[in-house]
Amino acid sequence: MDTTPFYVFLFVHLSSLILGFGSVLVTDLYGLLWLRGRVSFPQVTKVSGVTARFIWVGWGGMVAAGIPLILLKGMVDDLMIVKLFLVAVIGVNGVLLHLLHKRVEHYKEGEDVPPVLMFRLTLSLLVSQLAWWGALLIGFLHRHVQSVISWPDTPWLACALALASVLLLWAGGEAAMKRWVQA
Ligand code: HEM
């Protein structure tokens, strides 16, 4: 590990983290400001239309620099499997968020966005935050606490359970929203 190439890729990895995660935080802070009535919905969609590109570039940079980092490290431990799962979740969730964004970007100030779309947006933003913070924490632990972490014992099961929980929450939320709109 601690060789010059490793540090070069780590630098690219961290620079991409600043760009990608920084843009995620800007987008989500705008969302929070909108919830508190400080900015309009069109402002939020306008900002997220711009930051989305930076998020993708940052995420792509993290993956591109992460692969040589893993090769130089020479092993994938249990916690790294969880991290890679979270990275994949960020990617898939990002595509879904992009599609959702396309559906809500034409709403003007004062127009009601359907509750089911608001639910999907909220869930997607929650998943994005959890996955980014999770990957960040695991990266930090590997680098600064212990290089090899053989935990959890069954990483694939942990990932499957996490995925099943999100899918259940999604299905439950959609059903609840439909009932609420019909009532
Ligand atoms: C959203 C995506 C990612 C985030 C937020 C993230 C975050 C981090 C962080 C915070 C560090 C510690 C840097 C330091 O303190 O010096 C790190 C290191 C590292 N990352 Fe990532 N990373 C991501 C994606 C990836 C991917 C896709 C790979 C591999 C394909 C990867 C492999 C590594 C490796 C090998 C290290 C060195 C530490 C170690 O695990 O031994 N990362 N990452």
Side-chain angles (χ1 to χ4, degrees):
M1 267 167 81
D2 293 342
T3 55
T4 306
F6 188 86
Y7 281 113
V8 171
F9 287 120
L10 198 57
F11 178 78
V12 179
H13 204 58
L14 286 177
S15 307
S16 307
L17 175 68
I18 294 167
L19 179 67
F21 194 42
S23 305
V24 167
L25 291 180
V26 169
T27 317
D28 292 358
L29 281 175
Y30 257 81
L32 280 180
L33 286 175
W34 170 69
L35 283 177
R36 299 193 61 198
R38 303 278 297 275
V39 295
S40 66
F41 191 69
Q43 263 176 299
V44 181
T45 51
K46 208 170 178 183
V47 167
S48 59
V50 176
T51 49
R53 281 177 220 135
F54 296 127
I55 297 173
W56 280 119
V57 174
W59 182 84
M62 302 221 65
V63 174
I67 293 168
L69 279 176
I70 267 203
L71 293 175
L72 288 168
K73 187 176 176 182
M75 73 160 315
V76 174
D77 60 23
D78 292 335
L79 203 55
M80 183 56 96
I81 292 175
V82 177
K83 178 174 166 178
L84 294 179
F85 164 74
L86 293 176
V87 174
V89 166
I90 292 171
V92 174
N93 187 57
V95 174
L96 296 176
L97 252 179
H98 173 73
L99 296 175
L100 266 176
H101 186 266
K102 287 257 154 269
R103 291 189 63 182
V104 296
E105 67 184 351
H106 62 272
Y107 282 95
K108 306 216 168 37
E109 183 61 5
E111 279 182 344
D112 282 338
V113 182
V116 70
L117 286 184
M118 290 308 297
F119 165 72
R120 286 178 197 163
L121 266 178
T122 312
L123 180 64
S124 199
L125 290 175
L126 182 76
V127 168
S128 158
Q129 280 290 325
L130 288 176
W132 273 99
W133 282 107
L136 184 80
L137 179 69
I138 294 173
F140 178 85
L141 290 175
H142 270 140
R143 185 80 197 127
H144 301 287
V145 179
Q146 207 170 313
S147 176
V148 178
I149 304 178
S150 304
W151 181 90
D153 290 341
T154 49
W156 293 108
L157 182 65
C159 297
L161 283 177
L163 187 63
S165 311
V166 172
L167 292 178
L168 266 177
L169 201 62
W170 185 7
E174 294 264 334
M177 288 295 140
K178 269 187 198 133
R179 242 178 286 133
W180 186 42
V181 169
Q182 282 162 5

